[in-house]
Structures are given as structure tokens and as C-alpha cells.
Amino acid sequence: MAPARDRRTGFSRRRQYGVFMGYVLAIAGAVVGAVLLVVSTFNPPAFSALRVTVAGMTTPVSSGLAWVGSGVAAVPRAIGTYFFVRQENVALHAEVDRTRALLMRARTIAYDNRRLRTLLAVRDRSVDPIVTARLVSSTASSGRRYALLNAGRWSGVRPGMPVRGPDGLVGRIVETGPNAARVLLLTDGDSIVPVRRTRDGLPAIVAGRGDGMVDVRSVNATNVKFAAGDLFVSSGIGGIYAPGVPVARVLKAGQDSVEARTFADPDTLDFALVEGAFMPMPPRGPIPAGPPPAP
């Protein structure tokens, strides 16, 4: 059965009551408005008191509505602030990363500058400096410990010359080419350096172990005690290394032979100084003629 097309209010009591209440509220609003208009015109003080009273009664409702409105308005603002803060946080993190990279580079440059200044000071104090050159490589993981120097015979480098860095002795030249030289490091098994202990002048030798460390061994004495932290410098015996160059520091206390670490680490060196031998071999002179034959 099709629904009735008649939409008159008489078919629904609820709609009748709704329409009636609408009329009543409209008439009541008009009457209240007229009364308020008359009161405001003929008795302003009474209208002001009435207005204040109504304002006081509606203030809690207005405050609640204002709080709800501000809360609703704060939602998009909070969302926008979150995304803005997130973007700003990402930008700040990127800036921190860039600053950290610059700081590390500046620290590296400052470290290199300190090492170069120290090496220049060593060169100024050196009696017979030959050349300052770069250590381009070293055999840190091999059983033989060598380093390659980018200076050779063209720069005056010869076999037997000592090589030192800002921190101490590195080794000596064993092979030379026109523009490169091979350095035998202190840690090589064939390296032996005469040394003395700084606190009492005890003579000893520093011998390479081939594993990145050296042994400090007593000379012509037994039951010699070594303490951790003992410092040894070159003694000048042998004529190759000048006296007083830092060589090694003892790691653990022991007797007669102890393990030590060299002051100069070739793996961290950029530049090294080649010096002339402390007591170079005298040049070969002419062979003297034999005694004259007997008449």
C-alpha cells in the first residue's frame, strides 16, 4: 500500500505539539523582547540590572562554550605545531650532524698542525737534518715491519740514516731509490737499538718482536729489574742514532727482558724526519803504498 501523500500536521500529534511550542516560543520571545525594549527605553537602570543578572546567570554556560570552542580550535593548531616541531627537529638534527662533521675535521686539522709543529721543532733542534718526507705506507700486519718514505737519493737519503717522528725514533733507512726509501721499523725482528734508561742511565737494547711491540733487554748484567713506565732513549752507541731520542716505554714490570711499546707509531705518522748518522763512517782513503823494497 502506497504511503499517504498528505503531510498536514493533523496526522501527527507530535508534530502538532512541535508546531504549537514553536508558536509559543516565538510569541514569548517577541513579548520578552518588547518588554525589554520598553524597560530599556523608560527605565535604563532597571534594564542594566536585569542585563547584569542575566549575564551572571549565563556566564558559566558561556565559559563552558568558550572552553569547548578553544579546545576544538586548539586541535588543528596542535597538529600544525607538531608537524612544525617535527620538521624543525629534523632540520636541527641535520645541522648537528653537519656541525659534528666540521668539528671532527677541525680537530683532525688541529691534531695534524700540532704534530707538524712538533716535527718542525725537532728539525730545528736536529744537528744534521736531511729531509722531511711523508710516510706513505707501513706493513703493520706483516711479520716484517717496514715503512715506505717518499724521498730517496735525489733528496740526499742514504742507507743507515735514522728516521724519527714528532714522538720519537721510527727506524732507519735500509734501501733507497731515486725518490723513495725503505725504512726498517723499530718493531721489526732485525731492529736493535742501543738505549739507556732515563732515570739512572742503565744501558740496554731495544729489539723488535715483529708483532708491533719491542723487548727491552739488559746488557752485560743479570737480575736487572724493570718497572712499568720506565722510559728509554737512544744512547748514541753504534754511531747511527743520536743520543737522547725517545725510543720505548716499558709496559709491565719484569726482570732482564720486558715488553715495551715504542713512542712513535708509524701507522699514525704523516711525516717523518730523516737525519744524518750520528757518527758516519769515515770516507775511504787511498790505500797506503807498501814499504819500499829492500835494496
Side-chain angles (χ1 to χ4, degrees):
M1 181 177 179
R5 296 182 178 274
D6 193 352
R7 296 294 182 181
R8 290 180 301 173
T9 58
F11 287 94
S12 175
R13 190 174 298 277
R14 181 181 299 175
R15 293 186 61 188
Q16 290 178 359
Y17 288 152
V19 172
F20 176 73
M21 290 301 298
Y23 288 145
V24 170
L25 291 176
I27 294 172
V31 172
V32 171
V35 171
L36 292 176
L37 180 60
V38 172
V39 172
S40 64
T41 302
F42 294 99
N43 193 357
F47 178 75
S48 298
L50 181 61
R51 181 171 55 189
V52 172
T53 302
V54 173
M57 294 173 59
T58 58
T59 296
V61 179
S62 301
S63 300
L65 293 176
W67 180 80
V68 172
S70 61
V72 173
V75 172
R77 185 167 59 251
I79 295 175
T81 303
Y82 168 77
F83 285 106
F84 173 76
V85 170
R86 187 172 182 275
Q87 294 175 356
E88 187 176 9
N89 192 21
V90 171
L92 289 176
H93 276 292
E95 185 175 358
V96 168
D97 292 338
R98 290 193 299 269
T99 305
R100 184 182 295 111
L102 292 175
L103 179 61
M104 293 179 63
R105 191 179 308 167
R107 287 177 176 174
T108 302
I109 294 174
Y111 175 74
D112 292 340
N113 287 338
R114 288 196 301 270
R115 292 176 63 86
L116 290 175
R117 284 196 297 267
T118 305
L119 189 60
L120 288 175
V122 171
R123 181 183 176 90
D124 293 338
R125 294 195 302 267
S126 179
V127 178
D128 189 16
I130 302 300
V131 66
T132 300
R134 184 184 293 273
L135 284 173
V136 295
S137 65
S138 63
T139 55
S141 60
S142 172
R144 301 305 304 272
R145 300 300 170 115
Y146 291 96
L148 186 63
L149 193 74
N150 68 341
R153 290 193 301 268
W154 291 346
S155 302
V157 179
R158 298 292 184 269
M161 290 182 173
V163 180
R164 63 182 297 182
D167 302 323
L169 192 63
V170 176
R172 60 185 172 88
I173 303 295
V174 292
E175 296 177 1
T176 58
N179 58 352
R182 205 176 187 199
V183 182
L184 180 71
L185 302 178
L186 297 181
T187 55
D188 187 82
D190 290 343
S191 174
I192 295 179
V193 180
V195 296
R196 59 180 176 83
R197 189 160 55 186
T198 56
R199 60 186 173 92
D200 57 2
L202 175 73
I205 60 172
V206 170
R209 294 163 51 103
D211 59 356
M213 307 295 289
V214 295
D215 286 332
V216 178
R217 304 170 185 170
S218 60
V219 178
N220 297 329
T222 58
N223 298 326
V224 176
K225 297 185 181 298
F226 297 99
D230 279 350
L231 306 180
F232 287 86
V233 298
S234 57
S235 63
I237 298 174
I240 296 179
Y241 307 105
V245 180
V247 177
R249 176 189 287 110
V250 175
L251 298 180
K252 294 187 295 185
Q255 184 172 324
D256 292 338
S257 181
V258 292
E259 186 180 15
R261 184 184 298 276
T262 59
F263 283 100
D265 186 0
D267 295 335
T268 62
L269 286 177
D270 293 329
F271 290 88
L273 176 65
V274 180
E275 298 179 327
F278 175 55
M279 296 178 61
M281 296 295 294
R284 293 184 178 181
I287 300 176

